[in-house]
Amino acid sequence: MTEPGQLRGGLIALGLVLGALVCWAWIAVSLILGFGVAYGNDSGVPAVLGVVLAALPVVVGIVLLVRPRTRQVGAGFLMGISIGFIAGAGVCASLFAPGAFGSL
């Protein structure tokens, strides 16, 4: 057991990797649901599912952060989600602006 205030880098790194992986899966599911709605699915189920899935990783991260035993993993998890979105925004920018980054 760790003392209060003692940092364990391995747990934070584990949370960071898990958060980044969850974020990329979150983006993939959102794209799949978005294409399902855009191409003729008149049901409201994908929209509701998308909202629930959008909130779930953040709630999991907050729960992990609040519990003392999983606080460091929770902090890494929330950082991983944030880093995943920043990296995902860079990937989307390069996909939607073809040629803009090709001359580098």
Side-chain angles (χ1 to χ4, degrees):
M1 189 77 134
T2 61
E3 305 254 344
Q6 181 181 3
L7 290 176
R8 296 190 60 190
L11 292 175
I12 295 173
L14 173 70
L16 213 147
V17 169
L18 286 174
L21 290 175
V22 165
C23 179
W24 282 84
W26 187 5
I27 290 170
V29 168
S30 297
L31 285 173
I32 292 168
L33 288 174
F35 283 126
V37 170
Y39 289 108
N41 188 353
D42 291 333
S43 173
V45 174
V48 172
L49 188 61
V51 169
V52 170
L53 287 176
L56 189 62
V58 175
V59 171
V60 168
I62 291 171
V63 168
L64 287 172
L65 192 61
V66 169
R67 294 184 58 210
R69 291 188 66 164
T70 59
R71 182 165 290 151
Q72 293 175 8
V73 174
F77 188 79
L78 290 174
M79 284 189 288
I81 289 173
S82 301
I83 292 168
F85 272 119
I86 291 169
V91 170
C92 283
S94 66
L95 288 175
F96 290 119
F101 302 105
S103 61
L104 295 178

